[in-house]
Amino acid sequence: MASDPLDLSGHDNDYSATDGYLERLFERLNKAFLVVGCLFMAIMMLHVSIDVALRFLFNSSVIGTLETVSFYHMVIAVFLPLGYVELKGEHIRVDLFVQFLPKSLQFALYLFACLLGLIYFGMLGYQSFLDAWRSTDRLETIMSNFLFYIWPSRWALPIGFAGICLAILANLVRALRLRRAL
């Protein structure tokens, strides 16, 4: 049996039929966000490589490379995979002192951290949603040599923050089910 390259190996994934339905759904959604982020990373590398080659070989360039890379490729590549990184438990964690606490206190602190994460990223998601909505309503552009719309890229932030909120929620439910900190 081939292993899943997007396996969440850091966590217990043995779900019963009904127990982990939402967790699996949130994982699949965040894996899809990761794939889209990776796709945009590859497109960005190709875009920049073509621009550099054209500059070197023909003293020409692809119009709009800086704007497209800055406002689309990088934003999508950074924000959409946030939830997947959380699901894998790969965000920066400092557990210098927590590791010496009793398991029950570690569990309580983990649940508290999950709740704080939901509040924090929920607020960021809400505000970025309002900003994206206003940007879309105004059909926001930037100054460049051509008409360059940036309002579509504004939606990567609320989508990414929604993904990380779902990932935190999935980890919270998993921790409650396992009765231990992840």
Side-chain angles (χ1 to χ4, degrees):
M1 181 169 135
S3 65
D4 180 8
L6 299 178
D7 181 33
L8 300 174
S9 58
H11 297 297
D12 179 9
N13 283 337
D14 56 338
Y15 304 114
S16 69
T18 58
D19 197 34
Y21 175 75
L22 285 178
E23 292 171 70
R24 284 194 310 269
L25 177 66
F26 295 165
E27 286 177 5
R28 286 186 183 122
L29 184 63
N30 276 298
K31 284 180 183 179
F33 290 164
L34 173 70
V35 169
V36 171
C38 289
L39 180 65
F40 271 83
M41 180 70 75
I43 292 169
M44 177 176 61
M45 292 185 324
L46 182 64
H47 192 160
V48 170
S49 296
I50 290 170
D51 188 59
V52 169
L54 285 175
R55 284 179 192 269
F56 181 73
L57 297 173
F58 303 108
N59 199 23
S60 180
S61 67
V62 177
I63 297 173
T65 297
L66 177 65
E67 293 86 353
T68 306
V69 167
S70 300
F71 285 97
Y72 282 92
H73 300 150
M74 284 187 185
V75 173
I76 292 170
V78 168
F79 283 96
L80 288 188
L82 283 175
Y84 183 78
V85 174
E86 174 62 25
L87 283 172
K88 293 243 340 163
E90 295 295 328
H91 277 208
I92 296 172
R93 296 180 187 198
V94 180
D95 62 353
L96 183 63
F97 299 109
V98 175
Q99 65 184 343
F100 299 115
L101 296 175
K103 297 289 183 198
S104 60
L105 191 51
Q106 287 181 17
F107 179 56
L109 285 173
Y110 182 80
L111 295 179
F112 180 67
C114 285
L115 292 175
L116 283 179
L118 283 171
I119 292 168
Y120 179 73
F121 288 111
M123 288 173 24
L124 284 173
Y126 176 73
Q127 184 59 53
S128 63
F129 173 80
L130 294 177
D131 293 343
W133 188 267
R134 278 192 291 271
S135 179
T136 302
D137 192 41
R138 293 188 317 234
L139 297 176
E140 185 177 11
T141 61
I142 60 166
M143 282 181 39
S144 64
N145 293 337
F146 55 95
L147 184 61
F148 190 81
Y149 290 103
I150 62 169
W151 65 266
S153 68
R154 299 282 190 211
W155 289 99
L157 278 74
I159 292 169
F161 291 137
I164 196 167
C165 283
L166 294 176
I168 291 170
L169 187 60
N171 283 343
L172 177 66
V173 168
R174 186 177 297 127
L176 287 169
R177 185 170 39 80
L178 299 174
R179 289 178 174 59
R180 65 173 173 83
L182 301 182

